[in-house]
Amino acid sequence: MWIIGMLVGGFVLVVPPALLGRRLLGIEASLPRAVLAGLVGISTAGALLGAHLQRDDQRLVLSPVLLGIALLVAMVTLVVLDLAAPAGSVRPFSWPRSLRDRLARMRRYSRIVRIAGRHGLGPYLRGRGRGDGTRHELLAQELRQALQAGGTTFVKLGQVMSTRRDLLPAPYVEELSSLQDRVPAAPWPEVERELVAALGAAPEEVFAEFDHRPLAAASIAQAHAAVLPDGTRVIVKVQRPGVRELVERDLDIVGRLAVTLQTRTDWGRSLGLVDLAKGFAVALREELDFRVEARNMTAVRRAAAARRDDSVAIPVVHEALSTERVLVMTRIDGTPLGQAEPRDEKHGRELADTLFTALLNQIVRDGVFHADPHPGNILLQPDGRPALLDFGSVGRIDPGLRDAMGGLFLAVDRADPAALRDALLDVTDRPEDVDEQRLQRALGQFSARHLGHGSTPDVQMFTDLFRLVTDFRLAVPPEIAAVFRALGTLEGTLLRLSAGFDMLAASRSFAADRLAGQLGPSSARQLAQDELLGLLPVLRRLPRRLDRIGSALEEGRLGVNVRLLADPRDRRVAGELLSRVLLTFLGIFFGVTGVQLLGLKGGPMVTDDLGLYALIGYHLLVLSAAVVVRTVYVLSRPLS
């Protein structure tokens, strides 16, 4: 019984300081952590009690001070624990799995480092160059080889990097563009298990025919030919077994490498590698979910159908058979554009014009577009028409940005620096201190170099535009960046089809046709009708409001009401700021008053050697220390 009594007594002594300290700090600490802090506080106070207070009357008088010390130590312990291991970050039951994941990550990380070292990239991972005058062409080749050897995630990373002409020099873009995402096919038994798990039955039970040999195999998925029971020929895209776990581990490594390189290297900081790695991780995780690709494919196809545009074929998704890891779509026969040749020069020109116009329509009219139109994602059908494949990467633009993009195309058509400046500021997030005059002059030079008569657009035009945006610190929204990347990727495809294809002339023709369509009788009437419907509620209220304003002016009652701190967020920030200031002053006041009381002589005596003034001073010092701990913890938190 005495053991139970001791446990109950200890619990009663420990829990109040723990819970009170957690409450005073406003900290989100679990009960075990709070009890641990209370135990440390009581132990410290007990040590002081046994070492310095020998008489019963001293223990009785100073017990509030000692409890205050226990509370203070508990608060300090909670703050230290929160700084060392924030709430929720320590989960003992997850340690075995975490250790296993850490060991697997370390093995993979060491393999990646060995690959980088084998291809001469080790010094760059340590934040230093090789110092041997290595040319960009050779370094770009070594980077491509290292990424190819790294596997799925790093091949995808290289392919994404090859579209960033705004960040990488031309030799790297050209070299990384040749990265091929082809690997040996996965064994059929493993693929069959994936299909059974996704479809709920063996492939032979779902399809009338199913070819075990893949048509194509990539690092994330492979494609098989099949026939549905109704005779429809389809392509079944199956995710490779185990690829998700590998990609997640590699994405963790990419994120850690990005943090290291951005911290240690100037070029990493200038490129903003951490943000790039986060964007890449989001895109790659979406690519692992075939349901996203199915929605993208359906959205692009339906938007084209609404415009009655069948110039580019798009597969139809069989949603009933498609899952997160299996995608079933109609089969389109043809030859990948990278391996096909147009019938003649005229056909090549028509193909280029068709693809470019289709992409511009998707961007400006539909607001949903294929964001990765490289030759491998375009088929040339036997009848000579193109078809788009692989909709894992799709961009979406809201109506406001679509209108801004239309203005940008019109500004390009007119080669007007002022209009180009306004359009560029509309499609980017402008900083507060942007120099619009200097931006207009820079755009004037850009227009003279790339948009003048006789100018031929090339890769350098996109590179110069990206550099100009970077120099003026114009933040390009992800949607617009996807547009630029898609156009930059398509540019190489178009030149492959027609060596003399002029993207600038084609974009001018598209802008002129779109403007003419908007100025046509039916379009103008529809636009006027839409605007009028939006203005009707305002027009109805306008006479009454004008009458009120006129009456107020006539009688001298016109005034302006301004509500300070009307926004709840502003009130919350102001309240938190005021509470921090008050806490600081209270802590200083209690501390200074306590020190002054300890220095006073005389006054009533509580015990033989302890005066009342000193006792109050001790209490105030403990209270001051508690307020200071609370203030320090609050100041370390950001204003909400």
Side-chain angles (χ1 to χ4, degrees):
M1 292 298 294
W2 65 272
I3 296 178
I4 297 176
M6 289 181 61
L7 290 176
V8 172
F11 184 79
V12 170
L13 286 175
V14 168
V15 170
L19 299 182
L20 184 58
R22 185 174 66 174
R23 178 68 177 174
L24 289 176
L25 286 172
I27 193 171
E28 295 182 1
S30 62
L31 183 60
R33 181 176 293 205
V35 170
L36 174 62
L39 183 61
V40 173
I42 288 295
S43 301
T44 305
L48 291 175
L49 181 68
H52 299 287
L53 304 179
Q54 304 297 331
R55 302 203 323 252
D56 292 337
D57 58 342
Q58 291 177 328
R59 294 191 184 97
L60 180 63
V61 171
L62 290 180
S63 57
V65 176
L66 292 172
L67 289 176
I69 292 175
L71 174 62
L72 175 62
V73 174
M75 292 173 65
V76 172
T77 304
L78 284 173
V79 171
V80 171
L81 288 175
D82 186 70
L83 293 176
S89 63
V90 178
R91 297 173 181 173
F93 296 107
S94 65
W95 284 349
R97 180 178 178 182
S98 175
L99 180 61
R100 186 173 64 253
D101 293 343
R102 185 183 296 269
L103 291 175
R105 183 172 64 243
M106 289 176 61
R107 288 195 297 270
R108 178 65 173 161
Y109 187 83
S110 63
R111 181 170 180 266
I112 296 302
V113 171
R114 287 198 303 272
I115 291 174
R118 191 163 62 245
H119 291 88
L121 302 178
Y124 296 94
L125 294 180
R126 294 189 292 270
R128 304 192 302 270
R130 295 214 301 239
D132 56 1
T134 303
R135 293 182 303 142
H136 282 300
E137 290 78 5
L138 178 58
L139 186 58
Q141 185 178 7
E142 293 173 340
L143 177 61
R144 177 188 60 79
Q145 293 171 350
L147 292 174
Q148 186 82 56
T152 303
T153 307
F154 294 93
V155 169
K156 293 291 183 183
L157 178 61
Q159 291 174 344
V160 171
M161 291 166 61
S162 70
T163 66
R164 297 306 301 265
R165 291 185 173 91
D166 56 324
L167 300 178
L168 295 178
Y172 296 91
V173 173
E174 295 173 3
E175 188 68 34
L176 295 179
S177 297
S178 64
L179 274 172
Q180 299 297 318
D181 189 17
R182 295 190 180 94
V183 296
W188 169 247
E190 297 180 6
V191 176
E192 186 177 25
R193 282 196 295 270
E194 289 289 328
L195 286 169
V196 171
L199 301 174
E204 289 75 12
E205 299 177 17
V206 179
F207 302 96
E209 298 179 20
F210 194 97
D211 191 351
H212 294 184
R213 295 170 300 176
L215 295 174
S219 55
I220 286 183
Q222 59 190 48
H224 293 259
V227 178
L228 294 179
D230 62 1
T232 303
R233 299 165 66 239
V234 295
I235 295 295
V236 181
K237 186 176 178 181
V238 187
Q239 194 168 117
R240 294 178 71 90
V243 70
R244 184 177 297 271
E245 293 74 16
L246 177 62
V247 166
E248 287 295 338
R249 187 163 63 241
D250 283 353
L251 286 178
D252 182 70
I253 292 173
V254 168
R256 292 170 186 270
L257 282 175
V259 171
T260 300
L261 293 175
Q262 183 163 314
T263 303
R264 296 183 180 180
T265 65
D266 293 333
W267 63 268
R269 283 188 292 273
S270 65
L271 294 181
L273 287 183
V274 173
D275 291 336
L276 290 177
K278 290 179 180 177
F280 169 69
V282 171
L284 189 53
R285 288 191 178 101
E286 286 188 354
E287 193 170 342
L288 288 171
D289 189 348
F290 290 166
R291 294 171 299 184
V292 174
E293 182 176 352
R295 288 195 296 268
N296 292 340
M297 194 182 307
T298 302
V300 175
R301 184 176 53 80
R302 287 178 177 173
R307 289 187 284 102
R308 296 176 180 169
D309 180 8
D310 60 353
S311 59
V312 176
I314 298 171
V316 178
V317 177
H318 292 266
E319 297 182 1
L321 298 175
S322 298
T323 66
E324 183 179 359
R325 302 194 179 196
V326 173
L327 179 63
V328 181
M329 53 191 161
T330 55
R331 178 171 181 173
I332 298 179
D333 292 320
T335 306
L337 205 57
Q339 305 171 13
E341 291 292 338
R343 291 192 293 264
D344 50 40
E345 184 177 343
K346 180 183 177 182
H347 182 222
R349 167 73 190 192
E350 291 174 351
L351 275 176
D353 189 66
T354 298
L355 287 171
F356 187 60
T357 303
L359 181 61
L360 291 183
N361 277 323
Q362 291 175 8
I363 293 171
V364 178
R365 294 183 177 176
D366 303 338
V368 53
F369 61 93
H370 197 300
D372 191 21
H374 65 75
N377 287 339
I378 303 174
L379 280 184
L380 184 59
Q381 300 179 84
D383 61 0
R385 285 195 312 145
L388 287 177
L389 306 177
D390 194 355
F391 287 78
S393 178
V394 164
R396 297 178 185 272
I397 307 181
D398 60 71
L401 281 178
R402 288 210 301 273
D403 291 340
M405 286 299 301
L408 183 61
F409 285 125
L410 286 174
V412 169
D413 176 45
R414 295 162 52 192
D416 182 353
L420 193 56
R421 176 203 62 196
D422 295 339
L424 194 60
L425 291 176
D426 283 340
V427 300
T428 57
D429 298 330
R430 55 182 293 171
E432 294 289 337
D433 56 347
V434 62
D435 189 340
E436 295 191 16
Q437 293 298 324
R438 192 166 70 88
L439 176 60
Q440 181 175 334
R441 288 194 297 271
L443 286 171
Q445 297 173 359
F446 172 83
S447 300
R449 186 180 304 113
H450 297 290
L451 305 180
H453 291 291
S455 300
T456 301
D458 52 13
V459 176
Q460 190 62 37
M461 183 183 78
F462 290 99
T463 302
D464 288 350
L465 180 60
F466 282 127
R467 295 295 181 192
L468 191 147
V469 167
T470 303
D471 290 343
F472 283 87
R473 296 184 293 110
L474 302 177
V476 180
E479 303 92 338
I480 301 302
V483 171
F484 288 150
R485 288 199 300 271
L487 291 173
T489 302
L490 185 63
E491 183 262 347
T493 304
L494 300 180
L495 292 179
R496 186 186 190 93
L497 292 171
S498 176
F501 186 80
D502 189 346
M503 285 183 63
L504 183 57
S507 63
R508 284 173 170 167
S509 176
F510 177 84
D513 292 343
R514 177 169 171 76
L515 181 61
Q518 290 177 338
L519 295 178
S522 59
S523 298
R525 184 167 55 252
Q526 183 64 39
L527 180 62
Q529 181 180 347
D530 293 341
E531 293 294 333
L532 183 59
L533 288 175
L535 284 174
L536 274 179
V538 179
L539 294 176
R540 289 195 187 100
R541 294 191 298 266
L542 188 59
R544 292 193 300 272
R545 292 187 176 181
L546 288 176
D547 182 62
R548 288 198 209 103
I549 293 174
S551 300
L553 280 172
E554 183 179 4
E555 299 172 7
R557 295 183 292 101
L558 185 64
V560 178
N561 292 326
V562 179
R563 295 178 59 193
L564 295 176
L565 302 178
D567 193 326
R569 293 172 297 180
D570 295 338
R571 292 198 298 271
R572 184 168 60 251
V573 171
E576 290 185 8
L577 186 60
L578 181 61
S579 68
R580 293 182 180 189
V581 173
L582 288 177
L583 278 175
T584 303
F585 278 109
L586 280 175
I588 295 173
F589 172 75
F590 289 146
V592 171
T593 304
V595 170
Q596 289 178 342
L597 288 174
L598 287 175
L600 287 178
K601 303 298 182 182
M605 299 299 293
V606 180
T607 64
D608 294 340
D609 52 359
L610 180 65
L612 179 62
Y613 295 152
L615 179 61
I616 297 174
Y618 285 132
H619 282 82
L620 288 178
L621 284 179
V622 171
L623 183 59
S624 172
V627 173
V628 167
V629 172
R630 160 76 179 181
T631 304
V632 170
Y633 176 75
V634 169
L635 290 177
S636 67
R637 307 289 95 182
L639 283 171
S640 59

